């Protein structure tokens, strides 16, 4: 992607070009040569069936799968989905699994077969899983047997279920083992090559800029372009590795874009080894790093904050680590500096979102000012526009970040209105993030957010989702949910402003603290753990709404700021 109007270009630092005439930013790094191929062939196409090199290892058990085994198993299951489960290319399967070897096999099998892979958090509550299921309409749903009850509660038809770990033998439920094709047929089979590489490969969930979770259409071209862009950044794979195999420690969920593309697919493409750490604890991480000679770790700010409080964190512990990459939320410069002091390893920040497959900004050539999220990655254009006039603002001024590039998603499933609203007339995606660009270095910093989305420890929380739960409580007339930033733990916490029903207001004997506890437990019974109201519950006379009935979140955030300054909390924040 080239920068138009070259005669008006000026350099901002070594890696950013800005055009005063068009208001467009671009990277000085050359755009990558993107192979015209599918996700499967890009990652595993050149792998030999007898490749004994370790691909994925589970830290807690030592279970490992080699590259040859991963390719064979993926092709056996992929072919079985076509021949035994009678699926056809273009059909959708829903994978609701924790990060695991089974997860990798399932998604690569689907890519081999030309299927669309929708992704869901396996810990979704009934209503959340049902929402995703009804949205993507999968032909098969792949889960672990421990989640059968949850799938049934979400009204998932039993004959669509495929279990990873056992053969049930009733209700039409199948297992992976029953669907595997024989080895000879699997080895002889050819991977599906879509006629159009804009064909959807993955359907991860995202809240977009507003509303309930949406299914994001990520194409083969999106994903292959994304990885090609990242690998075209000098120093993205540290030069210090000097030919050494990439050994990545991951505790981030594969159903999230960072884990799926930025770790699983990246490692497979580079023939690295991926070590899965579940669950994450500072102690387990500090033991795993030296044990497995980890040289690259993906982080999110809350985990980094917890890690720095652990006595086992030291330069010796991180002696093999060459690269720590952090995303999911902004990380302050103070925390970056402290981590460097403790470990001797710099933290490199990037920025992205599900709609960008993974990323749009990253450290260029290893250089980055602490607190910034780096510069545009190769092949990506950006604008920064005034939120009111929608006109470009000059470097140094605040504005909404707009992005254009081959990694930008195709649209939201069955939601043309939201898709159209997410793009400008000239094809830039409206990210909803407010940024500034340093005129001296060309680096971007995230300073605010227009969108309603709350990020709790890297998980996405849609306010509208929680508000729907809250107003179903018989004592609540209206509710507004916003994020409350917790600096100590480096994450936002969902908090609620609640307007009581007339009947509840008239019950003078009600204890507000007891009622807050009741509401908190009510919400916890209906949503997954990352949506708990850890930021508190506040009782207000009236939830602020506009003439159209839309919640005025700016006013709600002002109320939150006022309450925080007054140190008034209706419900003490729960432990993270």
């Amino acid at each position: 992607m080239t920068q138009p109007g070259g005669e008006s270009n000026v350099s901002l630092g070594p890696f950013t070009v800005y055009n005063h005439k068009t208001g467009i930013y671009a990277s000085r790094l050359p755009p990558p040569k993107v192979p015209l191929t599918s996700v499967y062939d890009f990652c595993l196409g050149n792998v030999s069936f007898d490749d004994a090199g370790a691909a994925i290892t589970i830290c807690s058990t030592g279970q490992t799968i080699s590259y040859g085994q991963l390719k064979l198993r993926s092709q056996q299951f992929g072919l079985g989905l076509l021949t035994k489960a009678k699926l056809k290319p273009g059909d959708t399967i829903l994978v609701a699994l924790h990060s695991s070897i089974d997860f990798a096999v399932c998604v690569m099998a689907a890519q081999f077969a030309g299927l669309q892979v929708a992704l869901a958090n396996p810990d979704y509550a009934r209503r959340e899983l049902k929402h995703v299921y009804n949205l993507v309409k999968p032909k098969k749903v792949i889960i672990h047997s421990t989640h059968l009850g949850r799938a049934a509660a979400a009204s998932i038809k039993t004959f669509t279920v495929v279990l990873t770990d056992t053969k049930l033998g009733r209700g039409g439920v199948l297992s992976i083992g029953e669907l595997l094709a024989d080895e000879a047929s699997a080895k002889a089979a050819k991977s599906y090559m879509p006629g159009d590489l804009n064909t959807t490969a993955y359907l991860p969930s995202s809240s977009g800029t507003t509303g309930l979770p949406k299914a994001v259409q990520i194409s083969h071209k999106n994903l292959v372009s994304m990885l090609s862009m990242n690998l075209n950044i000098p120093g993205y794979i540290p030069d210090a590795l000097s030919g050494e195999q990439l050994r990545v420690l991951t505790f981030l969920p594969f159903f999230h874009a960072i884990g799926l593309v930025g770790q699983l697919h990246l490692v497979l493409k580079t023939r690295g080894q991926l070590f899965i750490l579940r669950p994450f604890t500072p102690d387990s991480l500090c033991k795993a790093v030296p044990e497995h000679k980890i040289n690259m770790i993906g982080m999110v700010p809350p985990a980094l904050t917890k890690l720095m409080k652990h006595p086992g964190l030291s330069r010796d512990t991180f002696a093999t680590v060459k690269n720590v990459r952090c995303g999911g939320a902004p990380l302050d410069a103070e925390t970056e500096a402290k981590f460097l002091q403790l470990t001797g390893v710099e933290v490199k920040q990037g920025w992205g979102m599900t709609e960008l497959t993974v990323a749009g900004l990253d450290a260029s050539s290893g250089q980055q000012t602490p607190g910034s999220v780096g510069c545009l990655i190769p092949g990506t254009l950006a604008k920064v526009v005034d939120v009111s006039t929608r006109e470009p603002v000059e470097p140094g001024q605040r504005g909404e970040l707009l992005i254009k590039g081959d990694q930008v998603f195709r649209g939201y499933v069955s939601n043309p209105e939201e898709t159209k609203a997410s793009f400008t007339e000239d094809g830039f995606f409206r990210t909803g993030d407010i940024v500034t660009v340093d005129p001296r270095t060309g680096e971007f910093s995230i300073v605010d957010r227009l969108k309603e989305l709350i990020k709790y420890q890297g998980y996405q929380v849609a306010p509208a989702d929680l508000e729907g739960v809250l107003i179903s409580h018989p004592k609540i007339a209206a509710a507004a949910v916003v994020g409350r930033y917790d600096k100590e733990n480096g994450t936002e916490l969902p908090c609620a402003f609640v307007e009581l029903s007339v009947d509840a207001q008239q019950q003078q004997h009600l204890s507000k603290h007891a009622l807050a506890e009741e509401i908190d437990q009510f919400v916890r019974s209906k949503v997954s753990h990352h949506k708990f109201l850890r930021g508190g519950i506040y009782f207000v006379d009236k939830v602020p709404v506009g003439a159209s009935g839309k919640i005025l979140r700016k006013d709600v955030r002002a109320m939150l700021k006022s309450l925080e300054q007054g140190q008034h909390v209706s419900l003490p924040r729960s432990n993270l």
Side-chain angles (χ1 to χ4, degrees), residues 171-459:
V173 176
L174 296 172
S175 68
I176 288 181
E178 293 174 276
L179 292 175
L180 293 179
D182 66 88
E183 286 193 19
S185 298
K187 288 180 177 179
K190 301 297 181 183
S191 62
Y192 179 80
M193 178 61 69
D196 181 358
L197 292 174
N198 288 310
T199 299
T200 299
Y202 285 105
L203 292 169
S205 294
S206 171
S207 296
T209 57
T210 60
L212 292 169
K214 304 166 184 65
V216 177
Q217 299 178 88
I218 301 297
S219 70
H220 291 268
K221 182 179 179 181
N222 288 150
L223 193 145
V224 173
S225 296
M226 181 75 264
L227 290 182
S228 299
M229 289 172 174
N230 281 343
L231 294 172
N232 210 48
I233 300 172
Y236 188 86
I237 304 298
D239 296 334
L241 292 182
S242 302
E244 175 187 341
Q245 184 191 40
L246 191 63
R247 300 171 69 84
V248 178
L249 183 69
T250 179
F251 53 85
L252 303 176
F254 289 169
F255 57 77
H256 192 289
I258 297 175
L260 177 72
V261 182
Q263 295 187 323
L264 176 59
H265 285 73
L266 173 72
V267 168
L268 296 181
K269 172 58 183 174
T270 58
R271 298 297 180 272
Q273 186 171 358
L274 189 62
F275 295 83
I276 299 174
L277 182 70
R278 285 195 62 245
F280 162 80
T281 67
D283 185 62
S284 63
L285 185 141
C286 287
K287 290 178 179 176
V289 169
E291 178 182 350
H292 299 294
K293 297 180 174 59
I294 301 300
N295 51 37
M296 184 171 177
I297 306 175
M299 284 281 183
V300 290
L304 197 68
T305 301
K306 289 181 180 179
L307 183 61
M308 290 197 302
K309 297 176 182 178
H310 188 264
L313 185 67
S314 67
R315 289 177 179 250
D316 287 342
T317 302
F318 269 61
T320 60
V321 178
K322 307 296 191 302
N323 195 345
V324 174
R325 312 196 69 81
C326 192
L331 184 69
D332 62 277
E334 181 183 344
T335 302
E336 280 191 40
K338 186 176 180 182
F339 186 84
L340 173 60
Q341 179 186 2
L342 291 171
T343 66
V345 182
E346 285 187 294
V347 179
K348 298 299 181 185
Q349 283 199 75
W351 168 90
M353 53 201 313
T354 306
E355 286 83 351
L356 304 187
T357 307
V358 169
L361 299 163
D362 210 303
S364 297
S365 233
Q367 300 180 18
Q368 187 176 50
T369 301
S372 83
V373 290
C375 301
L376 287 166
I377 63 176
T380 305
L381 302 179
K383 289 184 182 181
V384 180
V385 300
D386 184 275
V387 297
S388 300
T389 67
R390 311 308 300 173
E391 292 298 319
V393 299
E394 289 296 300
Q397 297 179 327
R398 294 164 59 105
E400 183 185 1
L401 177 62
L402 312 181
I403 291 286
K404 180 186 283 189
D406 287 339
Q407 77 274 44
V408 178
F409 78 128
R410 298 178 57 223
Y412 299 110
V413 170
S414 303
N415 201 333
E417 297 83 8
E418 184 72 16
T419 299
K420 183 177 180 180
S422 297
F423 288 88
T424 62
E425 291 185 0
D426 55 351
F428 280 81
F429 173 63
R430 305 177 191 268
T431 70
D433 281 334
I434 305 299
V435 304
T436 60
V437 182
D438 190 319
R440 297 170 295 107
T441 67
E443 293 172 301
F444 291 67
S445 294
I446 309 296
V447 296
D448 205 347
R449 191 154 68 235
L450 275 180
K451 56 191 177 184
E452 301 173 358
L453 185 66
I454 300 167
K455 286 194 175 180
Y456 169 70
Q457 296 197 347
Y459 289 97

Side-chain angles (χ1 to χ4, degrees), residues 80-244:
L81 286 170
L82 297 176
T83 59
K84 296 184 178 184
K86 305 302 181 184
L87 302 186
K88 61 183 184 300
D91 284 344
T92 299
I93 66 168
L94 175 61
V95 176
L97 298 172
H98 287 295
S99 300
S100 59
I101 290 173
D102 283 336
F103 185 109
V105 168
C106 289
V107 298
M108 296 313 295
Q111 295 307 327
F112 176 82
L115 307 174
Q116 297 183 145
V117 184
L119 300 168
N121 182 343
D123 292 328
Y124 270 162
R126 177 194 62 81
R127 61 186 297 276
E128 298 162 327
L129 184 58
K130 187 175 183 178
H131 171 75
V132 173
Y133 178 72
N134 290 336
L135 180 63
V136 302
K137 299 176 174 58
K139 295 293 179 67
K140 294 294 178 184
V141 180
I142 304 177
I143 59 173
H144 190 273
S145 61
T146 54
H147 292 103
L148 263 174
R150 188 169 297 178
S155 302
I156 291 176
K157 297 177 176 63
T158 56
F159 63 81
T160 68
V161 172
V162 178
L163 299 179
T164 60
D165 60 317
T166 188
K167 179 179 178 180
L168 191 65
R170 63 177 185 273
V173 176
L174 296 172
S175 68
I176 288 181
E178 293 174 276
L179 292 175
L180 293 179
D182 66 88
E183 286 193 19
S185 298
K187 288 180 177 179
K190 301 297 181 183
S191 62
Y192 179 80
M193 178 61 69
D196 181 358
L197 292 174
N198 288 310
T199 299
T200 299
Y202 285 105
L203 292 169
S205 294
S206 171
S207 296
T209 57
T210 60
L212 292 169
K214 304 166 184 65
V216 177
Q217 299 178 88
I218 301 297
S219 70
H220 291 268
K221 182 179 179 181
N222 288 150
L223 193 145
V224 173
S225 296
M226 181 75 264
L227 290 182
S228 299
M229 289 172 174
N230 281 343
L231 294 172
N232 210 48
I233 300 172
Y236 188 86
I237 304 298
D239 296 334
L241 292 182
S242 302
E244 175 187 341

